Amino acid sequence: MLAVAPRQDGADLLLSVPGVFAARAEGLAVGQRINLRGFDADHGQDIELSVGGLPVNLPSHIHGQGYADLGFLIPEVVQRLQVTEGVADPRQGDFAVAGSVGFELGVDQRHRGWRIESGYGLYDTFRQLVMWAPEGERDETFGAVSYRHTGGYGQRRDGDTASAIVQAGSRSGDWRFRGLGILHGARANLAGVVRRDDIEAGRIGWYDAYPDATAQAQNALAARFMAGFFGDYHGEGGDGGGFGLWLGADTFRLQENFTGFVQRSQTLADTAGRGDLIEQRNTTLSAGLTGRYRTEAWEPWEWVAARLEIGLDGRFDSVEQAQNLLGMPRNQTWDTRVDASILATNVSLWGDVDVTLAEIVRLHLGLRGALLLYEVDDRLGNFVPLVRPRDTFIMGFRRSAGGVVVGPRASAEVKATEWLTLRAGYGEGYRSPQARTLDDGETAPFTTVRSGDVGAVFSHEELVRVTVSGFWTELSDDVAFEAREGRLERIGASRRVGAVLYVQARPLDWLLGSLSATYVDARLLEPPPATADDPQPAFVPGQSLPYVPPVVIRADVGVHGTLIEDLLDQRLTGRLGIGYSFLGPRPLPYGGTADVVSLFDASAGIGWGPVDLGVSLYNLFDTQWAASAFYFSSNWDPTGIPTRVPTEHVAAGSPFTFMVTLGVSP
Amino acid sequence: MLFSAGCVEAATESTTIELTLAGADASAPFEGRDGAMITLERADVAFGPLYLCAGYTAGELCEEALAEWRDATVIDALDPTPTAPVAMNALTGTAHSYMYDLGIVSLLTEDAPLVTPAAESLGPASAVVEGRVAIDGQTIPFTVAVRVEQTETASRGTSVVRSGESESFDHAIEPEGRTALLVRIDPRPWLATASFRGLLEDATCAPGADLVCSGAIEQRCAEDGTVAETRDCASLGQPCLRGLGCVDHVELDPEGQIGRALRTGLSAGTRPTFEVSYR
């Protein structure tokens, strides 16, 4: 399905995953907003994402725990998506709350060789791709470079991004080795959010940014380097194993003003109202390893086969992060909110017993445990407020904390008939904490997730495949976006109960279609109680979880085939694809509700020998939709009577746009 | 299944409050400090903006308000008839405190306060009070206009009048605009601590004095301190005021004791009554 509907970037491939909706609300340099099975993984914190075995989520990131930006992905080199919904697999680690998505990279044998592709479209959008996959080599050997520039729709949405991915694979006896390197950089201006009441009153346009200096200074920069070396062993007796070593470096800087003019400096006396331009900086240096070994099958009887697989993975992260308030001109710092260094260590061990009974029943029984350690140098900890200038201590709060989390994982699959497979799974996973929230010696309060699934798969050869599943997930501590700090904050325990229908059909060789529909009832169980600082909390027990659409629908239909078998000694092929996405009304804090999202995309193309020409159309009917919708108080009228009642804010999603692409594969 | 998806349950919801403002029937004379009998003839106050807050302490802890009326209007505080209703933008919940300005609004972003058109029309001022005060056998027609504004730098951007922590304020804001709020302002307590006796004197000429009042008798003094000329203000239907002599009417210094007392009365004295009803 990956090739059916148009994809603007690699993360859009997630739209092929049942129940997933992904959108870029903050430009080219900030991670996508991903919805999956009732989780609003604002920037990926609830989905364990990996690319070619390299983990993408960043622990204790300033913009959101588990922050993940898939902007480095080049869709043309994504060969396969490995999706695990729920947490029933012991291989799933940190951030696998809604599930895990692994992008496998490669270029299949049909597309090997050179490929040069240029695209140009609306809003001065240009994309250049150069890809090289040497013929005769394995799928995983390739190099690809992509550059993209856009003038951006509306105001202040221009940006540039470039990615380079190199992967090489080789084989030596029972071992296969693979080296992978990824380099990515992006910088983009941001329009930020605008108040819906300002739009409705005609004070600002849907695609505009506020004219104030601190709104016009919103931008983001992201750069990332990842490299890994992996080895896989396939023994003749069915045993196997592997190892992986990887390194990563990521830097992120964001300037974004959500609330206009409501902030006061905690550092400088009598300084307030200079514009709430939040600066977030985060640099993460990471190193990690993985290893696993699977035994040969133990077959005490002819109808029983059992294997044991054990594995480990671990990572070490050094994080430097800061959050400040900036004012104009020249980004003067007028308040400091975060200044911290974090050293995080995560060592995990897992085991999985795989039992096959008469080739009908397959059971997995597993366990995963993790030890997480944190050393935090919170340089603004024990903050000395302005009203207590003569305290008896120096600002700063250095501390360490650690904790262990262990959870069972189990799944069962029964091949009831040739066309019916029944599945069930249960798992207990975790999300590591934002280290700055930990106290000294605190047993790390992992966010634990308990998740169960039942489902059935009906399949008839390659003609049709229907998957129906129900899921239940309880999370001990959910998070939601907090506008005043511009990041995710804890909102208490939550529960999701829902169902997914996924239909994939290939009624004709040249016709492929899929439909996924997800319904979820997502509720907040124990939001933080009212306090003096927050006397009217945005959330009450039992309410719908904010930002989570109760219904997500995605449909794709694609046709492809040969138009003329021999045209000037070359075959002329054609393709046409249509995709449709629907998001139900997203509940917002304070009782707001975001509008439904209903979007059509389409693509068409012809290929003649080494040349292909395509056009991709996004948001076909030019629907005005909010890529993000929030509910909080802000004041964007610095010289008028301030408003204090929370209201809806939106970040406009992309209007109709198109891109024409010319590709040559000599 | 799809139909139920449209029903989203939440903690609060947007609504409006029907806000009306009214004065009090305060045209009858009332007793002030020192036994003064005060008759008000005009009590115009610029009222607004008004915020209702969820917390028990308004001010900086009311950065997110439950309800707001972002305007100001001049209220005739002597007229008990409610003004035409206006809509307050609100969320459902329970308000435990309030805060408001008197036409002059401190902004977080500006050093100088915002003077609303309502306050501008009064001078600019937050309140203009006119009346007559009878004290010690004299009747003093007076006018006083004061500005009430946030002066604490640390509190910049917050309203100047806030409900006290001990003040009982507990009003539910119901959905679908079912809540009506009547703010009734009684001007009489504003002058509770004003001392009009200080306007009078019972002195006689002395060296260095130019003009004194001996009760209701105006004395103009010679250089040697003797009385050069006298005038009976009472016979003119006028009071004799310290430093002014016989006058028809006095415009009081907003920084004088009465002006300060009025400002204190407006900002920290008896608060308006907040009458909430539901439809």
Side-chain angles (χ1 to χ4, degrees), chain A residues 114-116 568-571 606-613 662-666:
Chain A
W114 281 92
R115 178 166 178 80
I116 299 171
L568 300 176
D569 296 333
Q570 298 285 356
R571 195 166 55 168
I606 54 171
W608 179 75
V611 180
D612 57 80
L613 180 67
L662 178 66
V664 180
S665 304

XYZ file of all heavy atoms in Angstrom, chain A residues 114-116 568-571 606-613 662-666:
161
model
N 20.435 4.128 -10.876
C 20.335 5.554 -10.547
C 18.886 6.018 -10.628
O 18.121 5.525 -11.439
C 21.149 6.382 -11.540
C 22.607 6.382 -11.245
C 23.536 5.520 -11.752
C 23.289 7.282 -10.395
N 24.774 5.821 -11.262
C 24.655 6.915 -10.414
C 22.898 8.353 -9.596
C 25.619 7.595 -9.682
C 23.867 9.029 -8.882
C 25.201 8.645 -8.925
N 18.576 6.973 -9.840
C 17.301 7.663 -10.016
C 17.487 9.130 -9.638
O 18.003 9.464 -8.566
C 16.194 7.053 -9.161
C 14.875 7.832 -9.319
C 13.688 7.068 -8.775
N 12.464 7.861 -8.898
C 11.759 7.991 -10.016
N 12.170 7.376 -11.114
N 10.656 8.734 -10.064
N 17.093 9.974 -10.554
C 17.139 11.418 -10.308
C 15.723 11.931 -10.484
O 15.094 11.692 -11.524
C 18.108 12.119 -11.271
C 19.525 11.567 -11.064
C 18.090 13.630 -11.055
C 20.506 12.021 -12.100
N 7.573 3.001 -28.921
C 8.960 3.354 -29.250
C 9.934 2.483 -28.460
O 10.828 2.957 -27.779
C 9.220 4.832 -28.983
C 8.329 5.804 -29.775
C 8.603 7.228 -29.356
C 8.544 5.635 -31.272
N 9.659 1.196 -28.517
C 10.498 0.185 -27.881
C 10.471 0.224 -26.355
O 11.323 -0.379 -25.692
C 11.969 0.308 -28.343
C 12.093 0.019 -29.823
O 11.240 -0.738 -30.330
O 13.014 0.569 -30.448
N 9.564 0.982 -25.805
C 9.465 1.025 -24.340
C 8.006 0.814 -23.954
O 7.084 1.136 -24.703
C 9.941 2.386 -23.808
C 11.381 2.727 -24.105
C 12.370 1.949 -23.235
O 11.962 1.204 -22.343
N 13.645 2.082 -23.542
N 7.825 0.327 -22.749
C 6.470 0.125 -22.259
C 5.971 1.412 -21.601
O 6.720 2.072 -20.873
C 6.468 -1.016 -21.241
C 5.093 -1.536 -20.944
C 5.151 -2.858 -20.228
N 5.966 -2.781 -19.009
C 5.999 -3.723 -18.081
N 5.306 -4.823 -18.254
N 6.740 -3.608 -17.018
N 2.618 8.635 -15.243
C 2.893 7.732 -16.351
C 4.390 7.473 -16.387
O 5.193 8.322 -15.980
C 2.418 8.303 -17.707
C 3.004 9.714 -17.939
C 0.906 8.337 -17.790
C 2.762 10.239 -19.333
N 4.741 6.302 -16.845
C 6.145 5.951 -16.959
C 6.429 5.419 -18.353
O 5.645 4.629 -18.898
N 7.492 5.870 -18.886
C 7.898 5.397 -20.214
C 9.388 5.093 -20.154
O 10.209 6.000 -20.059
C 7.613 6.467 -21.258
C 8.025 6.051 -22.649
C 7.394 5.171 -23.464
C 9.176 6.504 -23.354
N 8.077 5.034 -24.645
C 9.185 5.845 -24.600
C 10.218 7.387 -23.050
C 10.191 6.048 -25.561
C 11.208 7.596 -23.986
C 11.187 6.928 -25.246
N 9.676 3.802 -20.140
C 11.059 3.401 -20.043
C 11.710 4.011 -18.813
O 11.217 3.874 -17.687
N 12.774 4.737 -19.011
C 13.520 5.274 -17.853
C 12.917 6.568 -17.297
O 13.442 7.117 -16.335
C 14.900 5.548 -18.440
C 14.659 5.843 -19.886
C 13.479 5.016 -20.283
N 11.872 7.062 -17.921
C 11.338 8.371 -17.522
C 9.946 8.199 -16.932
O 9.144 7.409 -17.428
C 11.256 9.318 -18.747
C 10.709 10.683 -18.328
C 12.618 9.456 -19.399
N 9.681 8.909 -15.874
C 8.310 8.922 -15.372
C 7.929 10.339 -14.946
O 8.758 11.122 -14.491
C 8.103 7.930 -14.224
C 9.030 8.175 -13.069
O 8.747 9.089 -12.267
O 10.062 7.482 -12.985
N 6.662 10.619 -15.147
C 6.130 11.936 -14.852
C 4.909 11.750 -13.962
O 4.025 10.952 -14.263
C 5.718 12.639 -16.152
C 5.144 14.045 -16.023
C 6.200 15.022 -15.540
C 4.567 14.515 -17.364
N 9.232 14.897 -12.101
C 9.845 14.234 -13.253
C 11.001 13.396 -12.743
O 11.920 13.909 -12.094
C 10.338 15.266 -14.265
C 11.047 14.681 -15.491
C 10.075 13.858 -16.341
C 11.680 15.786 -16.320
N 10.932 12.114 -13.013
C 11.984 11.223 -12.555
C 12.650 10.512 -13.709
O 12.004 10.152 -14.698
N 13.943 10.314 -13.585
C 14.710 9.597 -14.601
C 15.496 8.499 -13.910
O 16.178 8.743 -12.914
C 15.670 10.554 -15.345
C 16.460 9.778 -16.390
C 14.897 11.693 -15.990
N 15.348 7.295 -14.438
C 16.104 6.158 -13.904
C 16.903 5.554 -15.048
O 16.442 4.627 -15.720
C 15.142 5.119 -13.332
O 14.316 5.700 -12.357
N 18.083 6.118 -15.327
C 18.830 5.689 -16.503
C 19.305 4.236 -16.384
O 19.469 3.722 -15.300
C 19.990 6.666 -16.564
C 20.112 7.273 -15.226
C 18.776 7.172 -14.574
